Amino acid sequence: MEEEEEEEEDTFEDAVCTKTPSRVNTPLSLITEAFENLADLLKPDISTDEDGLRLDAFCNACTHVSILFSCLGLAFKFAEMEYISKVKDLVEASKTLDTLQNILDLDVENETVKTPGSRSRNLRRVRQGLDLIRAIFEQFLMTDEYSLKNAATTAYTEVCAPFHTWTVRTAVYAGMYTLPTRDQLLLRLNETDQSVEKNMRRYMEASRPIIEYIDKLYIERNIKLDW
């Protein structure tokens, strides 16, 4: 019972890349389970609030993901810092706003959707972070070599590079050479060859409807996604 209570106390502060007491409850499996639970709320046969996905539930799942950026090391330090700060802002917003729709509707009303620091902008950046992890996993599993450097480079180029400044892009690409090896990543995540593939695929499947749902919120309000 004590172990279960301790494992539930995941925050940004204690999310570190260390081995866990049980292989079942690895950092990656906890993230995967959180997003599977979140994705379940979007299924047609699940009764949800008519206003849509709750912001607090979304934030709870997103807080787990920061450990993955941390495990990737220096190359994604900027992404980690940006992601954590944006999620923390959404956590603060969840104290007064109930759903993801509320965030967008408020900024649309105030004409601040794309204003730096707006919560609609922060939600957009968190969504990119989730998609970046999904893309890294997808690329990582596509080749027999399981090259993290190649996977991360391709994923970053597709998902985040178009929205980053030249300075940030240059720093990220230079940092790709500091990424952990495949074996080092497995050790940091406390995964085996078999379990890491299973959990990565689970995250990819669970995160996709969440990402699509967020995109739909913007599109329904005539907000383009090219920013």
Side-chain angles (χ1 to χ4, degrees):
M1 179 61 71
E2 289 183 0
E3 287 185 2
E4 293 179 356
E5 292 176 351
E6 290 176 358
E7 288 161 358
E8 291 174 356
E9 296 176 353
D10 271 31
T11 62
F12 288 121
E13 288 74 18
D14 61 15
V16 293
C17 302
T18 56
K19 287 190 175 182
T20 54
S22 171
R23 185 165 295 279
V24 174
N25 293 316
T26 64
L28 185 52
S29 68
L30 290 174
I31 293 167
T32 297
E33 182 177 351
F35 275 87
E36 286 176 339
N37 292 337
L38 195 63
D40 283 343
L41 297 178
L42 296 178
K43 293 181 178 179
D45 58 336
I46 300 295
S47 176
T48 59
D49 189 286
E50 63 179 9
D51 289 329
L53 189 63
R54 289 194 60 82
L55 182 56
D56 54 3
F58 176 74
C59 290
N60 181 61
C62 289
T63 54
H64 294 284
V65 178
S66 61
I67 188 175
L68 295 179
F69 287 110
S70 179
C71 288
L72 292 174
L74 183 62
F76 286 93
K77 189 63 178 178
F78 174 82
E80 177 188 5
M81 293 172 62
E82 181 180 51
Y83 179 85
I84 289 176
S85 69
K86 302 319 185 204
V87 172
K88 283 187 175 181
D89 181 65
L90 295 183
V91 170
E92 186 64 26
S94 70
K95 297 177 181 178
T96 55
L97 300 175
D98 292 331
T99 67
L100 274 64
Q101 288 93 321
N102 292 157
I103 286 179
L104 285 166
D105 289 340
L106 182 60
D107 280 335
V108 168
E109 181 181 351
N110 295 328
E111 299 183 352
T112 55
V113 170
K114 296 185 179 181
T115 300
S118 75
R119 280 163 175 164
S120 292
R121 191 181 186 90
N122 289 347
L123 175 60
R124 179 81 182 137
R125 294 297 175 261
V126 170
R127 173 255 183 247
Q128 288 177 353
L130 301 179
D131 199 24
L132 176 60
I133 294 297
R134 180 205 58 77
I136 289 175
F137 287 176
E138 183 177 67
Q139 293 296 325
F140 184 74
L141 297 176
M142 281 179 62
T143 61
D144 294 334
E145 295 82 9
Y146 290 132
S147 169
L148 183 57
K149 177 180 176 295
N150 292 341
T153 299
T154 300
Y156 174 78
T157 300
E158 293 178 354
V159 176
C160 294
F163 310 105
H164 285 169
T165 64
W166 178 87
T167 301
V168 172
R169 293 197 304 270
T170 301
V172 171
Y173 286 130
M176 293 295 181
Y177 292 95
T178 68
L179 285 168
T181 64
R182 173 179 168 278
D183 289 341
Q184 288 173 335
L185 181 64
L186 293 182
L187 182 61
R188 293 180 184 184
L189 293 174
N190 194 24
E191 298 284 349
T192 65
D193 289 334
Q194 293 73 29
S195 68
V196 76
E197 178 173 353
K198 177 182 178 181
N199 285 325
M200 283 183 175
R201 293 192 185 283
R202 286 175 60 197
Y203 173 83
M204 288 161 54
E205 181 177 353
S207 64
R208 187 170 287 109
I210 306 300
I211 293 168
E212 292 174 350
Y213 174 79
I214 295 173
D215 285 348
K216 184 179 178 181
L217 294 180
Y218 288 87
I219 293 172
E220 289 176 341
R221 291 160 178 78
N222 297 317
I223 303 170
K224 295 182 179 180
L225 303 178
D226 56 350
W227 56 288

